Amino acid sequence: MSVLQTPASPTTIDADTVYGVLQIGSAQVALPIDALREVIPGPARFSALPVNTPGLLGAITLRGRVVAVLDLRLLLGQPAPRDTGQVVALVHHANAVIGLLVDGVRGLARLAAGRLNRMDSTGTELLFGGCFERSEDGSVVSVLDAAALMRLPGVPLLRGAAPGAARPRQDLACRSLMLVRCGEIGLAIGVTEVHATLPQVTLMPSSIDGRICHGVIEHAGVQLPAVDPLALLELGARPAGEPSQALLLRDENGLVALLVSQVIDLVQVPESDLLALPPLAVRRPELFRALLNVPGHGQHLLLGPGVLRDHADLQGLAHLNVRAQVGNGAARAASATSSTAASAGGDAVITYDIGHEVATLLSQVSEVLPLPTETGRPISGHPAVTGLFSHRGQSVTLVCLASLLGGRNPPDPATARVLLVRQDGGTFGFIVPRLYNIEHTVWEQPGAARGGAPASARHPLGPHSVIELGTGAQRRTLHRVDLHAVARSLSRPDPGTPARAQLPACARPLIPVD
């Protein structure tokens, strides 16, 4: 069905380009990446505009500029519910900007010339000038014609480039870059590496605080690790107490927030303007592609392609996305927020599922990884060992912790995670069906269960630490699993003792096993 009733005009879509793919309702739509100016979180509400235009939600303000926002679902007659995870994609064409409310960014698609299926309609102009099939999954993506979007009748357009924006030179290949400032240092990041920008964030302390992680922020009901890019790139440290904005980086495991002092602008920079890094300019030159000077914005270090996407520390932190509120009784969420962690003063623990919720000291877990898709075949014959794989130049033995402790159901690969534990010179990867949270203990009693009876008489995990987490309605009692002790029992078995009997009392089965 056509949205417009105006004479058709030739489409201006270039098929030999990179597209940013957006999710709008049940459909995937795409725009040439040069037309996607920025992606920001959707506001709780839009400011009203005194116009009556189909699909117009209202306006947002961005760095002092007012931008109208459309919801294409309303134009297409589709259901248009609001959701906290929605974002606004800013579309730029012919010196005009308009916002589109979308359900999310679905990555990039590089399309060779000739692969775009162009579409036209007799007597009408289509908003979508073509479509293509994504090679990754075979899904169909419709390509939005930015020029047709700007010609929608009655839509208010922001005219003129953003303050300080550099005009691209049309005769040269250009890079679309986001310029940010971190303290006194300017960084340039490819726009395709950024999921969304958060113009204002509140940083909260967390159990995972460290050299590069400075706490968590809350976004769309989820607590996300907040990373100092200067520490990550070995450029120094973020100034303490400085107001923060954030860039959200997404990989297949989750989101990470990159803390910046200011998001300056999005610019198009010709390849010829990229300058080679001079000697001794930075400590880790392999992390950077070039140096560039942008008129009106000064000097910026351009990150190398894939540096953020492939950084092992960011990949590990992306696993630690935790819900900020409890969704249901079965899936534990963050009952101990930053204020609880700061006041509790107890040990930091990571909680997870092995048929029920248990905890382990965070200091015992060196990394959290997704379940490997390719593993070597184990030859030990141990019933809980599922395979072998290599990580950071080390061989890792995969052990199903739920099976080891008596569980019977194999974990779902979509939700399972691997807790890396190093002990006695070896590395074990303990598979757990699901991660829940990182919290601080508010009470613990090693060696005995509550009520005075020995832990071993009350629970098969004893003599183990019994701990309490959370406050108020979220307060709960868990057993703390000593993964170092479990790893020692596996790496130094007694030849005359059955495998399960070799486990320390803290790791005896929860369910009787014949």
Side-chain angles (χ1 to χ4, degrees):
M1 181 183 75
S2 175
V3 177
L4 297 176
Q5 300 299 322
T6 55
S9 62
T11 181
T12 58
I13 298 172
D14 181 5
D16 191 10
T17 189
V18 176
Y19 293 96
V21 182
L22 310 170
Q23 189 76 39
I24 299 180
S26 59
Q28 293 186 72
V29 303
L31 278 159
I33 196 63
D34 291 346
L36 276 177
R37 187 157 185 80
E38 191 171 352
V39 178
I40 63 175
R45 61 181 60 87
F46 294 92
S47 299
L49 293 174
V51 292
N52 183 18
T53 300
L56 183 65
L57 296 174
I60 58 173
T61 57
L62 181 67
R63 295 189 282 276
R65 309 299 294 271
V66 178
V67 181
V69 179
L70 290 173
D71 188 340
L72 292 185
R73 297 174 302 175
L74 296 174
L75 285 172
L76 300 173
Q78 298 180 359
R82 287 299 312 275
D83 184 84
T84 55
Q86 290 173 321
V87 295
V88 175
L90 300 183
V91 182
H92 183 268
H93 177 75
N95 210 32
V97 178
I98 194 169
L100 290 181
L101 183 70
V102 302
D103 294 310
V105 179
R106 295 295 177 260
L108 301 176
R110 184 178 297 275
L111 201 65
R115 285 191 54 209
L116 180 66
N117 300 289
R118 297 184 180 273
M119 294 184 174
D120 203 348
S121 178
T122 303
T124 61
E125 183 179 29
L126 298 175
L127 279 182
F128 300 94
C131 62
F132 62 88
E133 181 184 44
R134 294 195 77 169
S135 58
E136 300 95 320
D137 56 10
S139 59
V140 174
V141 180
S142 300
V143 178
L144 184 63
D145 188 336
L149 183 67
M150 300 296 178
R151 288 193 291 266
L152 280 171
V155 174
L157 302 175
L158 172 63
R159 294 288 184 183
R167 284 183 174 274
R169 288 154 52 185
Q170 300 298 329
D171 59 330
L172 296 174
C174 294
R175 287 176 178 260
S176 297
L177 303 176
M178 178 176 289
L179 304 182
V180 301
R181 179 177 61 82
C182 302
E184 299 299 320
I185 297 178
L187 298 176
I189 302 171
V191 296
T192 59
E193 299 198 43
V194 179
H195 173 68
T197 59
L198 302 181
Q200 184 175 1
V201 297
T202 299
L203 188 61
M204 301 179 291
S206 167
S207 308
I208 58 177
D209 287 5
R211 184 181 67 85
I212 67 168
C213 184
H214 289 191
V216 296
I217 66 167
E218 187 171 324
H219 171 66
V222 177
Q223 289 183 350
L224 309 178
V227 171
D228 178 0
L230 299 186
L232 182 76
L233 301 170
E234 298 191 26
L235 295 173
R238 174 177 163 271
E242 188 173 54
S244 295
Q245 300 179 2
L247 311 181
L248 297 187
L249 311 177
R250 176 186 288 279
D251 74 1
E252 61 183 8
N253 305 309
L255 291 168
V256 173
L258 206 65
L259 298 173
V260 299
S261 305
Q262 182 184 8
V263 177
I264 298 174
D265 206 351
L266 279 89
V267 298
Q268 300 253 328
V269 177
E271 290 281 347
S272 59
D273 285 0
L274 302 182
L275 307 175
L277 282 175
L280 304 179
V282 292
R283 182 175 298 177
R284 297 282 305 278
E286 71 274 13
L287 300 179
F288 301 94
R289 166 69 174 82
L291 190 67
L292 59 101
N293 286 294
V294 181
H297 297 311
Q299 195 172 79
H300 288 71
L301 291 166
L302 173 61
L303 272 64
V307 163
L308 297 176
R309 181 191 65 241
D310 300 332
H311 200 291
D313 290 331
L314 294 184
Q315 291 176 346
L317 288 170
H319 289 283
L320 302 181
N321 290 188
V322 177
R323 289 191 179 277
Q325 297 180 357
V326 174
N328 56 60
R332 297 289 185 184
S335 61
T337 60
S338 58
S339 59
T340 304
S343 62
D347 292 328
V349 296
I350 183 168
T351 61
Y352 52 91
D353 171 42
I354 56 169
H356 64 282
E357 189 181 19
V358 295
T360 288
L361 285 173
L362 187 61
S363 59
Q364 293 189 348
V365 179
S366 59
E367 288 186 67
V368 180
L369 304 175
L371 193 62
T373 55
E374 296 183 3
T375 62
R377 183 177 178 180
I379 58 175
S380 67
H382 194 291
V385 175
T386 65
L388 307 171
F389 74 103
S390 177
H391 178 66
R392 297 183 188 269
Q394 290 186 323
S395 296
V396 181
T397 302
L398 270 178
V399 178
C400 179
L401 191 60
S403 173
L404 191 68
L405 301 184
R408 297 180 182 274
N409 296 324
D412 181 355
T415 61
R417 293 294 181 264
V418 177
L419 307 181
L420 281 192
V421 175
R422 294 184 172 90
Q423 182 68 25
D424 291 341
T427 304
F428 289 91
F430 290 107
I431 304 170
V432 298
R434 185 184 301 272
L435 290 183
Y436 288 141
N437 199 13
I438 295 175
E439 308 182 33
H440 278 81
T441 59
V442 296
W443 176 90
E444 60 182 283
Q445 181 180 352
R450 302 188 69 178
S456 57
R458 296 287 303 274
H459 196 284
L461 282 178
H464 219 336
S465 295
V466 177
I467 63 173
E468 283 192 353
L469 302 174
T471 59
Q474 300 303 324
R475 195 175 182 97
R476 62 204 191 276
T477 302
L478 305 178
H479 279 82
R480 192 179 71 185
V481 177
D482 186 345
L483 290 182
H484 278 175
V486 177
R488 281 194 300 269
S489 72
L490 292 171
S491 59
R492 295 182 298 200
D494 182 351
T497 308
R500 288 190 180 274
Q502 292 167 11
L503 295 176
C506 65
R508 298 285 170 78
L510 299 173
I511 303 171
V513 178
D514 295 334

